[in-house]
Amino acid sequence: MLLQRPLLVIISIWGVGAQQNPSPDILDYINPLIGSTNGGNVFAGASLPYGLAKAVADVDGQNTGGFATDGSRVTGFSALHDTGTGGNPSLGNFPIFPQVCPDGEDVNTCRFSKSARAMGYVNDSVVARPGYFGVTLENGIKADMTVSERVALFRFTFPSSADSGGATPLILLDLTDLWDSRQNASVSIDTKNGRILANGTFLPSFGVGTYKSYTCVDLYGAEIRDGGVWVNDRASIEVQNLYVTRGFNLFYLQAGGFFRFNHKVNEELTVTARVGVSYRSSKQACENAEKGIPNPLEDFERLRTQAEDAWREKLRPISIKSGGAVRELERSFWSGIYRNMLSPQDMTGENPLWDSEEPYFDSFYCIWDSFRVQHPLLTIIDPEAQSRMVRSLLDTYKHEGWLPDCRMSLCKGWTQGGSNADVVLADAYVKNLTGIDWNLAYEAMVNDAENEPLEWSYEGRGGLQSWKRLNYIPYLDFDYLGFGTNSRSISRTVEYSYNDFCVSTIGKGLERDGYTTYLQRANNWKNLYKDDQTSFINGTDTGFVGFFQPRYLNGTWGYQDPIACSALASWCSLTSNPSETFESSVWEYQFYVPHDMSSLITTLGGDETFISRLDFFHESGLADLGNEPVFLTVYQYHYAGRPGLSSNRVHSYIPSRFNTSTSGLPGNDDSGAMGAFTAFSMMGLFPNPGQNVYLITAPFFEEISITHPQTNRTARIRSVNFDPEYKRIYIQSIKLNGQVYTKSWIGHEFFTQGWTLELVLGEEESSGWGRAEEDRPPSLSMGLGRDVSMDMDGSGADVLVS
Ligand SMILES: *[C@@H]1O[C@H](CO)[C@@H](O)[C@H](O)[C@H]1NC(C)=O
Ligand SMILES: *[C@@H]1O[C@H](CO)[C@@H](O)[C@H](O)[C@H]1NC(C)=O
Ligand SMILES: *[C@@H]1O[C@H](CO)[C@@H](O)[C@H](O)[C@H]1NC(C)=O
Ligand SMILES: *[C@@H]1O[C@H](CO)[C@@H](O)[C@H](O)[C@H]1NC(C)=O
Ligand SMILES: *[C@@H]1O[C@H](CO)[C@@H](O)[C@H](O)[C@H]1NC(C)=O
Ligand SMILES: *[C@@H]1O[C@H](CO)[C@@H](O)[C@H](O)[C@H]1NC(C)=O
Ligand SMILES: *[C@@H]1O[C@H](CO)[C@@H](O)[C@H](O)[C@H]1NC(C)=O
Ligand SMILES: *[C@@H]1O[C@H](CO)[C@@H](O)[C@H](O)[C@H]1NC(C)=O
């Protein structure tokens, strides 16, 4: 009934208004080069949404995602990539590379090895658009590329040359990847048909084991002169097959195959390379290629258009009315959403490890990064894809015995903290994603919570005996059941606590008796709270007392400086300076009790102290905006009844730390996590993942509408007094579907039912809205987890659903 209120006319990109005022193409707002330098590590090339084929130029600089705008040189063009990841460069298997060799008579005048062939690119020649990437090398060779699902199409245009002295175009394939992780590989050249087949065994960039990769490259558009193989800087046209291994001391040989082409004087020459990829077989790589791009010489524009349409379709649920906000903010928003849909990649049908009818997605890289905002964003804008991803996680559990925590290239990745797939499952559960076997989900989560694997460095959790007996992860635990890096006792304790809360959520929903055990363990974080711990910075007391501290098996406290592992002190990872907190400080993990903020606030001394702590944390340099654990801390003022301060905080970080420059991300994008943070923040609704909760702040645009792709209902967030200069960033009052709404949060029904939030903004923090105890977001100690039904308007009556 309330849904039938007259709606404002929205000038939406696709709406009626679009016809009156021609709006630019939504894709014009997407800049894939955001975060292409300074550690963003984004994949800047051509991909479909969740596409396996990801084509881009690979450089010899910051090449984790293939390309970078850091001034480094191009070493190849390849079709498999991850996006935003840290650590070792990922994938980039079997790059191809075009060049003009000076002397056609002597093939050894060509430059084969990576360092010899590396070629700078013309900075302003780079064109990066959804589904398309183009670049011109300093030697004048132009490359552009597009993709379909499992095949990339590259065009290399060799400039015309007056030289008749035998200069000869060549395209080589290198039996390598970005990280030179290849263990062994084969290549065979079919000169008659212009086809190169290659396969090889490689290492995952942040995981254990090896994986096999296959490619099938067909060349078109030019007469093949000859072809052969190369090893280091020597080559021969006499040989068409090559197998390389690693020998003495795992010595690494550079090697591959090549074709040379006839080139007429004074004419440009365009060679088209169709690159099919597969993780199953060469045959499948070729079939993928033939099916995806049947007519390589004619298909380029068609593929590009298809890719663009696929992206427009994915963005279609969302529209904004900017209200005068600067263009760059719109670009940040749309680009963030775009990056959130690059990975995980849909590899259904490409999994060689088990046969299944279930979907298979790969590059959950890592769930420690993606559970917080990436998956929650997909749940809103692409619930079907998110549901398929969850099914893939469960199918992986079924066949590998464990839910993934990090997974790439068909391998298990290193675990950073807890078993955070548990959070992804609980999030899907409370948001009613469909098509998921919840009994299997619960079984998988209980497995995480109860059974310690021998190797908990890449699956499950470690220290479970202590966890169950002592109710915390001890410092220097004695753990003879399983093995992992015996560090991070504090961060693992707080993450396991939340993971157990998530287990209890599904257990309770399914009416399983055991759920109360997990609800109990969700309190375990309390056991590492040392109430007299102080924190000094350079000898100056911060004045705050009470912090998490490491604790030995015998109950005695250990010590970790609360600022250790922050930007003010040192970097701590699994291998570098391993500590009791992972990649962040006690200060930052001190706030990580997502399910019981109310109890945490009490523990830390009440609202006022909690707020000063958050302020100090954000203003002292302790907050690390470049890494995911910080995300929720931007919004936790809500839990102390001061949602206006969250709004203020997020408006201080965007655009100063998240913007549209190539160095516009504060850290690794991590499969789009930074993009999702930006998008949620701009929308004015921020998830607390695993719970049916979005925290409300002042959006960056006057109106945002999201049509739920399954219910087709449109949720709207509209700001009255919207101010594009962002002086009015404080919510004064809210109407939900026309009725006064005093809570500072809302549930996912907002999206599925298509409700309307009308926010009235002002220059000063409101003394009313969101402040009262009962208007704060839910906490375990205040009923969350015990009370499944969420009374959205606080009246006890469900007035909102027509
Ligand atoms: C190209 O960009 C890089 C990175 O910003 C810069 O170092 C280099 O100087 C630029 N080259 C030219 C020719 O402008
Ligand atoms: C390639 O290397 C992998 C990993 O070392 C090994 O398991 C495999 O047997 C090798 N393959 C061949 C064909 O030698
Ligand atoms: C790998 O490629 C070589 C050369 O084409 C081929 O002989 C071999 O059968 C391939 N191996 C697999 C497992 O496809
Ligand atoms: C999920 O389904 C239940 C039962 O139908 C309903 O009460 C609840 O509101 C739904 N939640 C969401 C987020 O749609
Ligand atoms: C601590 O002192 C050192 C040496 O004076 C200085 O370099 C550093 O910036 C100081 N750190 C902080 C957080 O004030
Ligand atoms: C507890 O264990 C730690 C580490 O082994 C030791 O330093 C401490 O003295 C022990 N405390 C007691 C009370 O035994
Ligand atoms: C853009 O973001 C980057 C990364 O956080 C930051 O270093 C830079 O100062 C920001 N630029 C602007 C103009 O705010
Ligand atoms: C939503 O719209 C799509 C496309 O128009 C349609 O196929 C689907 O049945 C609709 N779903 C509902 C629940 O109305």
Side-chain angles (χ1 to χ4, degrees), residues 69-72 121-123 138:
T69 48
D70 62 350
S72 55
Y121 61 86
V122 180
N123 284 349
E138 277 170 357

Side-chain angles (χ1 to χ4, degrees), residues 569-744:
S570 51
W571 173 247
C572 310
S573 66
L574 289 172
T575 48
S576 156
N577 189 26
S579 300
E580 298 319 297
T581 49
F582 177 73
E583 286 192 355
S584 195
S585 59
V586 165
W587 260 95
E588 196 155 306
Y589 282 104
Q590 188 60 58
F591 298 111
Y592 194 70
V593 186
H595 51 306
D596 205 355
M597 290 303 298
S598 160
S599 179
L600 177 70
I601 290 169
T602 306
T603 303
L604 295 180
D607 291 347
E608 291 308 310
T609 319
F610 179 76
I611 288 161
S612 347
R613 275 206 200 223
L614 271 181
D615 283 344
F616 187 85
F617 170 69
H618 284 286
E619 286 157 18
S620 57
L622 285 163
D624 176 6
L625 267 290
N627 211 353
E628 286 73 10
V630 82
F631 286 174
L632 205 53
T633 68
V634 175
Y635 288 90
Q636 283 174 331
Y637 297 97
H638 273 70
Y639 289 89
R642 299 288 296 278
L645 300 181
S646 302
S647 208
N648 186 38
R649 194 57 72 196
V650 69
H651 278 268
S652 78
Y653 286 137
I654 298 176
S656 75
R657 307 302 298 279
F658 301 82
N659 54 59
T660 53
S661 86
T662 52
S663 56
L665 300 181
N668 300 156
D669 196 35
D670 290 320
S671 301
M674 296 285 156
F677 176 84
T678 313
F680 269 123
S681 297
M682 290 186 149
M683 219 185 273
L685 290 179
F686 198 82
N688 188 344
Q691 299 169 43
N692 190 16
V693 168
Y694 298 93
L695 310 173
I696 307 172
T697 51
F700 285 68
F701 306 116
E702 186 169 7
E703 178 158 334
I704 298 115
S705 308
I706 301 188
T707 301
H708 192 273
Q710 288 167 334
T711 66
N712 295 342
R713 299 201 184 179
T714 300
R716 297 175 208 284
I717 310 153
R718 187 181 294 150
S719 296
V720 177
N721 295 335
F722 177 75
D723 164 26
E725 314 254 286
Y726 306 111
K727 297 211 174 60
R728 294 191 291 272
I729 54 159
Y730 295 105
I731 296 173
Q732 306 297 302
S733 61
I734 296 187
K735 280 189 181 162
L736 173 61
N737 298 341
Q739 301 200 346
V740 171
Y741 188 75
T742 53
K743 293 184 187 307
S744 63

Side-chain angles (χ1 to χ4, degrees), residues 429 438-439 441-443 445-446 502-519 785-789:
Y429 186 76
W438 295 116
N439 289 313
Y442 188 61
E443 177 190 311
M445 294 165 91
V446 168
C502 290
V503 180
S504 80
T505 299
I506 297 194
K508 176 162 172 38
L510 299 178
E511 299 177 357
R512 298 300 180 88
D513 290 340
Y515 89 90
T516 48
T517 307
Y518 304 113
L519 208 49
R786 280 185 256 125
D787 180 10
V788 173
S789 71

